[in-house]
Amino acid sequence: MTYWEFKGRELVNCTCEYGCNCQFNALPDKGHCHAVAAVHVDQGKHGDTQLDDLNFVGVFKWPGPIHEGHGEVLPIVDERASPEQRDALLKIMTGQDTDPFATVFAVFATTMEKVNEPVFAPINFEVNVDGRRGRLSVPGYVEMTGEPIRNPISGAEFRGQIRLPNGFEYEVAEIGSASSRTTGGPMDIEIDSKYAQFANLHLSTHGVVRAGA
């Protein structure tokens, strides 16, 4: 396998209520899972190919719990990426050059029944993990906005975290609220004010690179 590693930031929105049962090996609270995930690579490489400052997005649908499969995905890669960078990002996104089940990408790849043709498009993405705010726009495909959860009485911002010491995606995620909708393309998704996670990522061929490792 070609070794890869990157540090970056993500915003993920799914149809679960705040907390997301799936983070704790439970079933999705709607019975199905629809999700949008956006990642910004701050620093990374796949072999000799640098991946710094590139974005990628996945639009996902599963008719039941993720582990039961039959999923559909639309991979979207930053149009600024060179042919070599596009190939590298798609390999990472689809679980290639990765130990079995070592990353969220590798796990999701085993559950896919339909993989739509990758899209190479402008990805406008910004995310503040600690501030629990983010915005994604891929014109003609998908829009997503993330913000802090707010107290329904006072309107004050609520802060909560999920810590997964042995997870395959992140070690700590800030939890917020997000809304997503597709605006074109082969998939139809609409999520209104549901679970969002904002996380700093450090992933490699072998999985999560743990703090202090």
Side-chain angles (χ1 to χ4, degrees):
M1 295 189 295
T2 299
Y3 181 80
W4 63 268
E5 182 176 344
F6 77 79
K7 294 180 179 180
R9 290 162 286 145
E10 73 170 4
L11 168 57
V12 180
N13 179 207
C14 77
T15 42
C16 279
E17 301 298 327
Y18 306 143
C20 183
N21 299 344
C22 309
Q23 302 296 318
F24 305 98
N25 290 312
L27 300 178
D29 59 35
K30 306 296 185 301
H32 62 262
C33 179
H34 298 170
V36 177
V39 175
H40 176 77
V41 177
D42 290 308
Q43 183 179 13
K45 62 180 181 179
H46 177 275
D48 294 327
T49 302
Q50 295 295 316
L51 303 174
D52 298 11
D53 198 36
L54 294 174
N55 300 309
F56 61 90
V57 173
V59 180
F60 301 93
K61 292 180 84 168
W62 291 269
I66 292 172
H67 67 273
E68 292 184 359
H70 307 295
E72 179 181 4
V73 62
L74 173 65
I76 306 175
V77 174
D78 201 322
E79 70 170 6
R80 298 176 299 144
S82 69
E84 293 78 16
Q85 290 171 324
R86 293 180 180 191
D87 181 65
L89 288 173
L90 285 170
K91 284 182 176 178
I92 292 170
M93 294 171 71
T94 55
Q96 299 179 60
D97 290 332
T98 303
D99 292 343
F101 304 105
T103 68
V104 62
F105 313 119
V107 171
F108 281 7
T110 67
T111 70
M112 290 302 152
E113 187 172 273
K114 181 177 181 180
V115 178
N116 290 287
E117 284 296 315
V119 168
F120 303 102
I123 298 174
N124 304 303
F125 179 50
E126 54 188 33
V127 60
N128 179 332
V129 172
D130 290 337
R132 306 176 311 286
R133 285 178 169 82
R135 183 177 297 273
L136 167 72
S137 176
V138 185
Y141 289 96
V142 64
E143 306 285 330
M144 174 169 58
T145 302
E147 62 183 6
I149 297 168
R150 294 189 178 275
N151 182 293
I153 305 302
S154 68
E157 293 182 5
F158 169 88
R159 186 175 186 183
Q161 298 177 331
I162 294 177
R163 182 179 296 273
L164 298 177
N166 299 311
F168 50 62
E169 183 173 1
Y170 58 80
E171 287 191 285
V172 179
E174 296 282 349
I175 306 307
S177 175
S179 298
S180 301
R181 65 183 180 93
T182 50
T183 57
M187 297 178 65
D188 184 20
I189 284 180
E190 186 162 359
I191 306 170
D192 184 25
S193 300
K194 299 301 181 187
Y195 173 85
Q197 67 188 41
F198 304 76
N200 293 304
L201 304 180
H202 190 180
L203 295 168
S204 81
T205 289
H206 307 306
V208 175
V209 180
R210 311 290 172 188

